Amino acid sequence: MTTRVVFNQKGGVGKTTVLANLAAIAAERGRRTLVIDLDAQCNASQYLLSSDGRQAECGSADFFEATLERGRRREDLADYVTETPFENLSIIAAHPDLEEIRVKLEAKHKIYKLRQALEKLTGFDEIFIDTPPALNFYSQSALIAAHRVLVPFDCDDFARQALYALFDNIHEIQDDHNPSLVIDGIVVNQFQPRAKLPQRMLSELTEEGHPIIDAHVTSSVKVRESHDASIPLIHYAPGHKVTQQLVALYDTL
């Protein structure tokens, strides 16, 4: 079982889109796949559950609340899983209450609870963890729990500056908490192949030694349509170029 977190401290880089679509591709390939949504904005949960009006009875907020009140509910992650409308794809959904309980979790130092629960979880081949666009309790918990981390990037200078701090933070978590964490690399999202700035920026990042993944993902209105329909691209538009770029990305991981 491989656990991968898709993480960037900067918002707007397509983190949730990349994660949900990679998970859907894994599931379509016959891999038993679980998404864990730790972002209080709940975008991954809405994307993967809403096409048939499905709602989660419980989720990641309930799991973390259970760690705060020992004995009130089980801390078994399997108890918080909801099946999505898509075969082989399940989710532990997020809830806005995640933000409300974050301070309590930090105060009681529950940072290792997700890793401990994942070590006991069975029945899945791949796990993808969605995180908030910030280095907070939930993203740190995910990085401590994961085997691998994928970093989405959109070739913006603000995103580039944030990238340096992001890698410093990942390396610190590797040193202090999770030495086996592997960096898959930087996936370029919303790529504009004919524009000069992205080409120059990628060249400079490569020269600096940053691990740029060759499979880039371009922008398209089809992605927004997929969001609106709450149907991942592998099901919504399997032959579309962005879908095939995401499949190529999955195949590199």
Side-chain angles (χ1 to χ4, degrees):
M1 184 173 69
T2 300
T3 301
R4 176 175 282 107
V5 57
V6 179
F7 175 60
N8 195 318
Q9 294 166 218
K10 183 181 181 297
V13 297
K15 170 180 59 63
T16 298
T17 297
V18 169
L19 174 136
N21 280 284
L22 289 177
I25 290 166
E28 194 271 340
R29 293 272 182 92
R31 306 279 288 170
R32 296 166 300 172
T33 306
L34 175 67
V35 171
I36 302 177
D37 191 355
L38 301 183
D39 189 348
Q41 297 178 84
C42 310
N43 291 333
S45 302
Q46 180 177 351
Y47 190 16
L48 296 178
L49 287 176
S50 297
S51 62
D52 65 357
R54 196 169 304 202
Q55 294 184 348
E57 293 183 4
C58 58
S60 56
D62 300 280
F63 164 74
F64 282 110
E65 284 182 348
T67 71
L68 289 169
E69 298 182 30
R70 191 166 183 83
R72 183 175 67 88
R73 290 188 64 176
R74 294 179 63 193
E75 296 177 19
D76 186 343
L77 274 178
D79 293 341
Y80 304 94
V81 172
T82 299
E83 298 295 323
T84 76
F86 311 102
E87 188 175 2
N88 297 317
L89 184 58
S90 303
I91 189 168
I92 297 178
H95 190 278
D97 285 352
L98 280 166
E99 186 57 33
E100 182 180 333
I101 65 173
R102 180 174 56 83
V103 175
K104 296 178 183 177
L105 292 164
E106 291 170 343
K108 293 194 174 183
H109 199 63
K110 299 293 185 176
I111 201 76
Y112 295 105
K113 285 296 183 179
L114 181 61
R115 180 166 75 182
Q116 292 166 359
L118 282 170
E119 288 172 349
K120 301 174 184 176
L121 184 66
T122 60
F124 294 99
D125 301 308
E126 297 193 40
I127 296 174
F128 292 83
I129 308 178
D130 196 21
T131 57
L135 187 70
N136 65 10
F137 171 86
Y138 297 114
S139 51
Q140 289 176 3
S141 292
L143 290 165
I144 289 170
H147 303 124
R148 311 186 73 88
V149 55
L150 179 67
V151 179
F153 175 71
D154 65 352
C155 290
D156 174 82
D157 189 58
F158 294 145
R160 178 180 179 175
Q161 296 307 314
L163 202 61
Y164 300 129
L166 181 149
F167 277 104
D168 285 343
N169 289 326
I170 290 175
H171 291 316
E172 185 172 359
I173 286 174
Q174 286 174 316
D175 291 342
D176 294 344
H177 304 285
N178 189 2
S180 62
L181 179 65
V182 174
I183 299 172
D184 282 327
I186 299 167
V187 54
V188 181
N189 191 35
Q190 303 169 32
F191 183 56
Q192 297 174 299
R194 297 180 182 178
K196 293 182 179 179
L197 176 62
Q199 297 285 1
R200 175 176 60 80
M201 192 169 290
L202 292 183
S203 177
E204 291 172 355
L205 287 170
T206 301
E207 290 175 1
E208 293 170 1
H210 293 285
I212 307 293
I213 295 174
D214 290 336
H216 303 333
V217 182
T218 56
S219 57
S220 170
V221 69
K222 193 64 70 175
V223 176
R224 296 181 183 274
E225 293 175 2
S226 167
H227 292 167
D228 184 63
S230 296
I231 301 174
L233 283 159
I234 195 66
H235 301 290
Y236 184 76
H240 194 270
K241 68 174 183 177
V242 174
T243 309
Q244 294 308 306
Q245 290 164 356
L246 287 160
V247 168
L249 172 61
Y250 177 81
D251 288 338
T252 68
L253 300 178

